[in-house]
Amino acid sequence: MADNRRIPGGAVVLVKDMTMDATFASDIAVVNPARLVIRAFVYVLDPTPAQAEMLRSHCGAQRYAYNWALDQVKANLAQRTAEKSYDIPDSELTPPVSWSAYSLRKQWNTVKDTVAVNRETGVPWWPENSKESYSSGIANCATALSNWSDARSGKRQGAMGFPRFKRMHAVLSCRFTTGAFGLVTGGGDRRHVQLPRIGVVRTAESTRKLARKTAAGTARIRSATVSFRRGRWQVSFSVE
């Protein structure tokens, strides 16, 4: 059974029912006003213990970057509010922090060697993960802030609270938009995928359906999102 759901902008998401009793490869089609079809192919992963630890580390890095970005914005807003309470002229207030993903990433790159470090050794730990894990976390925060601002100004329908920090019990997730990711198809392989820094990971089912489409040139993988749900690691490829 398919469940049609409306999303902002008039697009329709077609969600197909999936069973978790067996491994699966599902697809979700999103049609935008320009008739570009975006489909998500989801595969359950079968990582080694070492790869599972790396997946967890990347997801934790994304959460860390999200919280770091949100903390910068909240601290800046609090500082400016405090200054205004003392009747400090607007021209003399602490400059506002840009909420754009580009600006926040630029700031992150200037401080990551001092904030993303082992507290005991002082050695930076951020190089252990793909830079995409941090970029995606910051981008997610920028989007959440933008959505809140739009809802507050009336540009976006519905009420929306100010973004909250992500807790450790939140769903583990990390998105990749650059780097080495996709299907492994050499020698007719249909049971492995490639992820940045993590390497080649075995899948619990065949990737043949997507492999045929990419080989025929009728599909292009745009991004990959790994997540841990219901006790299983999975990867979702966004395909156009």
Side-chain angles (χ1 to χ4, degrees), residues 134-209:
Y134 308 106
S135 293
S136 59
I138 292 172
N140 288 346
C141 181
T143 298
L145 288 166
S146 178
N147 289 341
W148 170 78
S149 180
D150 288 347
R152 190 182 185 190
S153 65
K155 295 180 181 179
R156 182 187 179 95
Q157 294 184 347
M160 181 172 295
F162 191 82
R164 297 182 179 182
F165 291 109
K166 292 187 178 296
R167 306 301 178 185
M168 292 190 67
H169 63 266
V171 173
L172 295 175
S173 178
C174 183
R175 184 168 181 260
F176 304 100
T177 57
T178 63
F181 65 84
L183 303 181
V184 176
T185 58
D189 189 343
R190 296 294 185 269
R191 295 296 291 271
H192 292 86
V193 297
Q194 174 83 31
L195 297 172
R197 294 299 299 274
I198 299 165
V200 176
V201 184
R202 182 176 173 80
T203 61
E205 71 259 271
S206 174
T207 61
R208 183 175 292 105
K209 181 178 180 180

Side-chain angles (χ1 to χ4, degrees), residues 20 24 42-49 51-60 62-63 168-176 195 225-236:
M20 291 302 294
F24 61 85
V42 184
Y43 300 101
V44 172
L45 298 175
D46 184 22
T48 65
Q51 289 175 332
E53 185 61 30
M54 292 182 69
L55 287 167
R56 189 174 297 275
S57 178
H58 276 71
C59 293
Q62 176 172 290
R63 182 182 67 243
M168 292 190 67
H169 63 266
V171 173
L172 295 175
S173 178
C174 183
R175 184 168 181 260
F176 304 100
L195 297 172
T225 301
V226 295
S227 58
F228 189 73
R229 301 174 184 276
R230 302 185 183 182
R232 294 177 175 181
W233 284 103
Q234 65 182 46
V235 62
S236 174

Side-chain angles (χ1 to χ4, degrees), residues 78-100:
Q79 178 65 29
R80 288 172 57 83
T81 298
E83 292 172 355
K84 289 180 180 180
S85 69
Y86 288 100
D87 296 324
I88 296 177
D90 288 350
S91 60
E92 298 179 16
L93 294 175
T94 297
V97 170
S98 172
W99 296 3
S100 74

Side-chain angles (χ1 to χ4, degrees), residues 36-41 177-178 181-183 209-224 237-240:
L36 174 66
V37 177
I38 306 299
R39 177 167 295 171
F41 287 78
T177 57
T178 63
F181 65 84
L183 303 181
K209 181 178 180 180
L210 178 55
R212 287 175 175 172
K213 292 179 179 295
T214 56
T218 58
R220 182 173 70 89
I221 297 176
R222 300 177 48 177
S223 66
F237 290 115
S238 178
V239 179
E240 68 175 17

Side-chain angles (χ1 to χ4, degrees), residues 1-3 5 14-20 24-27:
M1 178 184 297
D3 173 23
R5 305 177 186 178
L14 307 179
V15 182
K16 294 186 177 181
D17 290 343
M18 299 177 293
T19 174
M20 291 302 294
F24 61 85
S26 67
D27 51 279

